[in-house]
Amino acid sequence: MNEQRKDVLGLLAEGKITAEEAERLITALERDQPPRPGARPKYLRVVMRFDEAEGESTRLNVRVPLQLLRAGVQLAALVPPVALNRANAELSKAGVPFDLTQLKPEHLEALVEHLDETIVELEQSDGHMRVYCE
């Protein structure tokens, strides 16, 4: 256990913060930690924002536990279709040959390996998108 996590748990034990505050702090610490070499990613992350012509925008910030996907939950059930279609197009452009709408548990490890050291990132004048594992 690292020192920062111990500090947060110490504050919780002393009653200086609530359990919810401790959980938020620990989650933030985990996000800020660089991945350890050899550590398996725990989440598939899709972050997107695109402005549409009609003044509307498509926004998405999904952090899906890979364990949930390994258990058979379809990613398409968790992410809006318009976001999946745009993400699929960008994954294809980046050479990651996966259709996220058809992602099955048996294909998940191959996707994780493709995204392990790769972050698919698109920056355009109308928005941005990132797909990665963390």
Side-chain angles (χ1 to χ4, degrees):
M1 181 180 313
N2 68 32
E3 286 301 312
Q4 292 174 322
R5 183 178 287 230
K6 283 182 186 177
D7 292 343
V8 170
L9 293 176
L11 291 170
L12 177 62
E14 294 170 10
K16 293 182 178 179
I17 61 173
T18 66
E20 291 81 17
E21 291 169 324
E23 182 180 23
R24 282 196 306 269
L25 287 170
I26 289 172
T27 300
L29 288 172
E30 287 173 351
R31 282 188 197 138
D32 293 341
Q33 296 274 329
R36 292 171 292 158
R40 290 183 63 184
K42 294 182 181 180
Y43 300 95
L44 174 65
R45 189 77 182 261
V46 181
V47 180
M48 174 188 312
R49 182 199 55 77
F50 283 98
D51 298 323
E52 306 299 330
E54 305 84 40
E56 306 225 353
S57 64
T58 301
R59 295 180 189 276
L60 179 69
N61 187 348
V62 178
R63 186 176 185 227
V64 181
L66 290 172
Q67 213 41 38
L68 192 64
L69 299 177
R70 285 184 185 103
V73 174
Q74 292 292 316
L75 186 61
L78 304 171
V79 178
V82 68
L84 281 174
N85 292 337
R86 194 125 191 196
N88 281 335
E90 296 312 318
L91 285 170
S92 179
K93 284 182 192 174
V96 180
F98 288 96
D99 179 349
L100 296 176
T101 62
Q102 301 300 315
L103 185 61
K104 295 186 178 12
E106 59 267 20
H107 303 130
L108 187 60
E109 296 310 317
L111 176 64
V112 169
E113 284 192 29
H114 268 86
L115 293 177
D116 190 32
E117 295 181 10
T118 304
I119 295 177
V120 178
E121 191 161 17
L122 169 71
E123 288 286 336
Q124 293 181 331
S125 60
D126 65 337
H128 69 274
M129 183 192 73
R130 291 181 75 197
V131 179
Y132 57 101
C133 288
E134 59 181 14

